[in-house]
Amino acid sequence: MSALVEELREIILRALPSNDENTTQLLIDKLVGSGLESKDDLQFVQQEDIKSETVTLDLTSMQYTPSLSAGSSSPQPCSSMLVTTDGESSSLEDSRPSTSHFRKSWSNTFQVPWQLMPAEIQSALSSGKRPSPPARRQMVRVLADEMRKFEPTPTRAQCLTICKAIVHQYPQSFADQLHDGRVVGEGYSSLLAQIKNRIDNLSRTTSFRQHRSAGSGVKRGPTDTYGCTRFQPDLPLDETDVSIETKRQKLEDLYSQEGAKGAEKAEVEKLMETTFCLQRSQINSVPAPSVAELMEKWPYLFFQKGLFAHFELLTDINVLRALELSMEECGKNILEFFKSKPTNSEVKSILSKDEPIDSSYQIVQLLMAHFMEKQDELILQENMCATPADLEKTGNLPVSPRLILLEALFENIDFQGIVHYILLKEAEALW
């Protein structure tokens, strides 16, 4: 920790050379108290993480660059002004804070609503045992909902304060532990990650609605919604609204002439890439179009190649390659782990099956069994002759997205080949 403090001191003084020792130490204490673990974490610090009664620094004028070497003598551009609690500005040279008392936020006095938690959680607290993963996830949901009543998007520092308090009060139930009982790190990393991820997921819904209502033609940031890098891109420089619509109509004509085989043509691929901005504009429009309407206007979007290409343009991720790499890097180790140490009866049952099965699909099954998740919460099995229209007519489809596999495919399943089902169902949820 002392090495981190010295690194922070050097960085702060390089950016704010006129800082006095008291102000520098206050800032270091606030950063460390916010959960900073290395100097690289400075890029994630937000204004509210270091806000106090004594000093509020303008982070837009003090940017930390991780690539800056420790020996560099070039200070980063910065402002030497601070804002005091009375709203007046003064120079850092004239400021001499006389106290290290920081304003307590709601997170310091937050009371965990244990009475709202599942019965299993309450039982685990009284007996000093660890709750099951599903019960713990339910606890995280309740906790995130209660925290958001105080602030719509709690910061990492606020989440950290609450997680520390929970683990300190009930270490046997929630501390990160090894099999021999040793505590990993500070003991609260996994709980902090769960809560922050839950809050981020809830916040994404709000951002998505804001993007939808913002209209088309607005340039988005590098990552704005659901990890997208091009949620609503502008028109290409050499295109107009009229020319883009003309190309969309050409795609319709090609589909009427070529049908499904046209999806493999280079001309279709190029037209789909050029009209991507119009695809996003119509998908994001309010009111949202139905899937049937989109299929009529963009027939090639609903073929595997078109859908994968759209996803890659949207996120900069080649989804099939990403899945292949994940299986190459981690799949074998996961499979060998469960074979050497089955964690429950369901895992043993999956491993004991004799029928041939794709290793990727087996790994997904094993992970779900390990975490005691029901398979039908992710994967649905349907008759091989069923069409999308047939499935919709049954009225049995759940609201949340599912992967739909046809029964005949299970004899020799190509798991990667059906990833497009996930994307289609996710698309239905978003559209």
Side-chain angles (χ1 to χ4, degrees):
M1 181 60 72
S2 59
L4 174 60
V5 169
E6 290 306 315
E7 283 183 321
L8 292 176
R9 190 185 307 278
E10 180 182 351
I11 292 169
I12 293 171
L13 291 178
R14 189 186 307 138
L16 301 170
S18 59
N19 243 15
D20 63 82
E21 180 59 29
N22 287 338
T23 303
T24 301
Q25 188 59 48
L26 286 172
L27 185 54
I28 291 173
D29 292 342
K30 189 64 176 175
L31 289 169
V32 173
S34 297
L36 199 78
E37 297 177 354
S38 71
K39 64 180 183 180
D40 292 334
D41 289 345
L42 285 171
Q43 59 187 307
F44 304 115
V45 175
Q46 299 182 13
Q47 190 77 32
E48 56 266 28
D49 292 332
I50 58 174
K51 188 175 182 180
S52 71
E53 288 183 351
T54 305
V55 60
T56 300
L57 295 177
D58 183 3
L59 289 183
T60 60
S61 60
M62 178 184 173
Q63 297 292 334
Y64 167 66
T65 306
S67 61
L68 184 64
S69 62
S72 174
S73 59
S74 301
Q76 297 297 306
C78 64
S79 169
S80 60
M81 302 300 291
L82 61 82
V83 180
T84 56
T85 53
D86 58 5
E88 296 180 356
S89 299
S90 61
S91 65
L92 287 172
E93 293 87 346
D94 297 335
S95 173
R96 294 294 184 269
S98 59
T99 176
S100 61
H101 173 70
F102 289 95
R103 179 180 60 192
K104 287 187 177 182
S105 69
W106 60 267
S107 60
N108 295 99
T109 56
F110 179 79
Q111 297 294 318
V112 178
W114 297 114
Q115 72 281 4
L116 301 179
M117 300 300 176
E120 184 180 340
I121 292 291
Q122 299 182 36
S123 175
L125 298 182
S126 60
S127 61
K129 296 181 179 180
R130 301 188 73 81
S132 67
R136 176 163 162 149
R137 288 193 291 273
Q138 182 60 31
M139 182 196 83
V140 168
R141 294 187 189 102
V142 173
L143 190 57
D145 290 342
E146 291 299 311
M147 291 168 63
R148 295 179 80 237
K149 291 179 180 179
F150 292 86
E151 190 164 331
T153 55
T155 65
R156 185 178 186 277
Q158 291 166 335
C159 295
L160 177 61
T161 300
I162 294 171
C163 289
K164 280 184 177 180
I166 292 174
V167 172
H168 177 74
Q169 187 175 4
Y170 299 106
Q172 296 300 320
S173 298
F174 300 114
D176 298 335
Q177 296 179 347
L178 299 176
H179 294 296
D180 57 7
R182 287 181 296 166
V183 176
V184 180
E186 298 295 331
Y188 51 74
S189 296
S190 63
L191 183 60
L192 174 61
Q194 281 184 293
I195 292 176
K196 195 67 177 74
N197 288 339
R198 175 63 180 171
I199 288 172
D200 289 345
N201 288 338
L202 292 172
S203 300
R204 282 180 187 140
T205 301
T206 302
S207 299
F208 181 68
R209 288 172 180 166
Q210 289 173 347
H211 281 307
R212 271 189 167 177
S213 61
S216 59
V218 180
K219 188 174 181 61
R220 305 300 175 183
T223 56
D224 46 12
T225 299
Y226 285 97
C228 302
T229 56
R230 302 179 189 89
F231 185 80
Q232 184 55 75
D234 293 329
L235 285 169
L237 293 177
D238 54 345
E239 298 288 349
T240 65
D241 290 334
V242 174
S243 66
I244 288 291
E245 173 59 23
T246 300
K247 290 179 178 179
R248 186 199 67 77
Q249 293 175 5
K250 187 174 182 180
L251 282 166
E252 277 193 86
D253 294 338
L254 285 170
Y255 180 73
S256 64
Q257 298 167 12
E258 303 287 342
K261 64 181 181 181
E264 302 300 322
K265 290 195 169 185
E267 181 184 10
V268 170
E269 182 178 353
K270 179 64 176 176
L271 286 171
M272 288 294 290
E273 181 178 352
T274 304
T275 58
F276 176 76
C277 59
L278 183 57
Q279 296 169 36
R280 296 306 310 166
S281 176
Q282 294 183 357
I283 289 170
N284 298 335
S285 62
V286 179
S290 67
V291 174
E293 291 173 329
L294 289 171
M295 290 182 71
E296 183 179 350
K297 289 186 176 182
W298 303 99
Y300 285 119
L301 178 59
F302 292 85
F303 287 87
Q304 181 171 309
K305 187 172 183 178
L307 191 59
F308 286 167
H310 185 97
F311 187 87
E312 186 168 359
L313 286 170
L314 183 64
T315 64
D316 283 331
I317 297 173
N318 184 320
V319 66
L320 280 183
R321 185 55 184 155
L323 179 62
E324 290 171 355
L325 290 175
S326 296
M327 290 301 170
E328 289 173 7
E329 295 174 2
C330 309
K332 185 178 179 181
N333 292 337
I334 292 173
L335 194 57
E336 290 180 352
F337 169 80
F338 284 121
K339 286 181 177 179
S340 63
K341 188 178 180 181
T343 52
N344 57 46
S345 59
E346 183 63 24
V347 169
K348 293 179 181 179
S349 175
I350 294 171
L351 291 172
S352 65
K353 294 179 180 178
D354 295 328
E355 65 266 21
I357 187 172
D358 181 83
S359 61
S360 302
Y361 179 54
Q362 186 179 34
I363 289 168
V364 172
Q365 286 184 308
L366 289 170
L367 289 172
M368 294 188 71
H370 171 71
F371 290 108
M372 292 181 282
E373 298 282 1
K374 296 179 180 179
Q375 183 171 312
D376 60 8
E377 292 181 353
L378 175 64
I379 300 170
L380 298 178
Q381 300 180 32
E382 297 291 344
N383 188 291
M384 66 171 295
C385 299
T387 65
D390 294 333
L391 297 177
E392 290 181 0
K393 286 179 181 179
T394 63
N396 296 327
L397 292 179
V399 177
S400 57
R402 296 290 196 279
L403 190 103
I404 301 178
L405 302 182
L406 304 182
E407 288 180 355
L409 294 177
F410 278 81
E411 296 178 2
N412 187 18
I413 186 172
D414 175 11
F415 187 74
Q416 295 175 6
I418 51 121
V419 170
H420 68 287
Y421 280 98
I422 299 177
L423 300 180
L424 279 172
K425 298 306 291 181
E426 288 287 358
E428 289 184 17
L430 294 180
W431 297 338

